[in-house]
Amino acid sequence: MISVFYKDGWEPIVKELSRIGATIYSTGGTQKFIEDLGIACVPVEQVTTYPSILGGRVKTLHPGIFGGILGRRELPQDLEEMKEYNIPEIDLVIVDLYPFEETLKATSEEQLIIEKIDIGGPSMIRAAAKNHKDLTVIAAKDDYAALEELLKTQNGSTTLEQRRAFAAKAFYVVMNYDIAISNYF
């Protein structure tokens, strides 16, 4: 599951995901970026069966996405429910957050600032970090090179220790994001 605001530095990662045969799920602008590279991508709407609604405020907040992130692979009941509701197993979540702090620097217009408070991104990051036993989460651009290297050298697999380290970083990213928003208010 890939949903990023900034697309720079993405081409090598997307190509590696394609090389290892990963099914890539994505949202609007990220989906277009991936498809423009000639790489297949499943629109998130195909999983949720809903379009992006409320002016883009709701795209990924859906059991089809969060079930795929939070589903525990060792529990038969979770796997049965995922199958029953056509929820895909999501093994990698890559999200960067709306540029809240950059928006604060660029404008004092409250409506623009409020719309740069990301909801789905932090929610996916937290869910993926919580379930790091079963999937990898990347929440910071400075981890893209490490991810690319893992995709190349470990053929898309990660160790529990690596997933735990990425999860810790993910919670740190979300914590700082929330602090910035709290300080604004």
Side-chain angles (χ1 to χ4, degrees), residues 121-172:
S123 298
M124 284 191 292
I125 290 169
R126 289 179 58 81
K130 175 179 180 169
N131 201 23
H132 69 275
K133 182 174 180 254
D134 291 320
L135 65 135
T136 303
V137 60
I138 303 294
K141 284 177 70 170
D142 60 356
D143 286 332
Y144 292 174
L147 173 61
E148 183 183 350
E149 185 64 21
L150 291 175
L151 291 171
K152 288 179 181 177
T153 62
Q154 294 177 201
N155 209 33
S157 295
T158 54
T159 67
L160 180 58
E161 182 180 349
Q162 290 164 335
R163 292 190 301 275
R164 184 181 291 275
F166 285 129
K169 175 99 172 256
F171 281 119
Y172 181 79

Side-chain angles (χ1 to χ4, degrees), residues 86-136:
N86 297 315
I87 297 171
E89 289 183 17
I90 297 176
D91 298 317
L92 173 65
V93 172
I94 307 169
V95 174
D96 71 358
L97 302 173
Y98 291 166
F100 181 78
E101 291 179 284
E102 292 89 340
T103 302
L104 280 180
K105 291 176 187 173
T107 185
S108 60
E109 189 177 332
E110 185 172 45
Q111 189 57 36
L112 293 174
I113 293 167
I114 296 299
E115 290 308 315
K116 287 300 185 260
I117 298 174
D118 200 325
I119 303 302
S123 298
M124 284 191 292
I125 290 169
R126 289 179 58 81
K130 175 179 180 169
N131 201 23
H132 69 275
K133 182 174 180 254
D134 291 320
L135 65 135
T136 303

Side-chain angles (χ1 to χ4, degrees), residues 55-74:
R57 282 183 160 196
V58 180
K59 296 183 272 276
T60 58
L61 297 169
H62 188 278
I65 300 301
F66 282 86
I69 295 170
L70 288 166
R72 295 162 291 188
R73 314 296 161 77
E74 78 281 3

